[in-house]
Amino acid sequence: MTLETSLFSDRGTWMSVLATASPTLLSNCWKALPVRPDFTWIREPQFETVMLRARADAEGGCFNLGEMTVTRCSVQLEDGTVGVGCIGGRDKRHAAIAAVVDAMMLGPDGSWLESARNIVLSAQQADRISQSEVATKVRETEVSFSMSIAGVR
């Protein structure tokens, strides 16, 4: 299975890509669509707080790390398909676009599938470029330590 195939076969994967995508990129992709689907709100974007849990190591017990603000919403397309969006932070537009694209990916007739896939692929490619740039900056500041010991037997 290729990376692209797994991206489109697992809903959790594309929702993660949409949730972590740049809000500006998603907004630009949304504006670039020649035709956008009509939808109704099931739940308008709203801010909520979730508790983050962590584990000290693989064996340790869970503990409450802290709280995080998320924005959630759900939409329904004209064909009845429901999509949800949940993003970290307080960006209602980002969550709304993620929810609509999620619904577009799930549509039964596939009429919105190509547009939705293009948005998800654009977001994933932008994330890869960003990660590559960060990795390059990290490598530039890498320090190599070496030690030579003379005369030790």
Side-chain angles (χ1 to χ4, degrees), residues 128-148:
R128 282 194 186 140
I129 291 169
S130 174
Q131 287 179 5
S132 175
E133 290 171 353
V134 168
T136 300
K137 288 180 183 178
V138 168
R139 277 193 300 275
E140 290 172 358
T141 61
E142 186 177 326
V143 177
S144 176
F145 293 97
S146 63
M147 182 167 55
S148 63

Side-chain angles (χ1 to χ4, degrees), residues 36-40 75-82 103 112:
R36 295 179 203 99
D38 291 326
F39 65 91
T40 56
V75 298
Q76 184 173 22
L77 300 184
E78 287 181 326
D79 64 8
T81 307
V82 174
W112 297 107

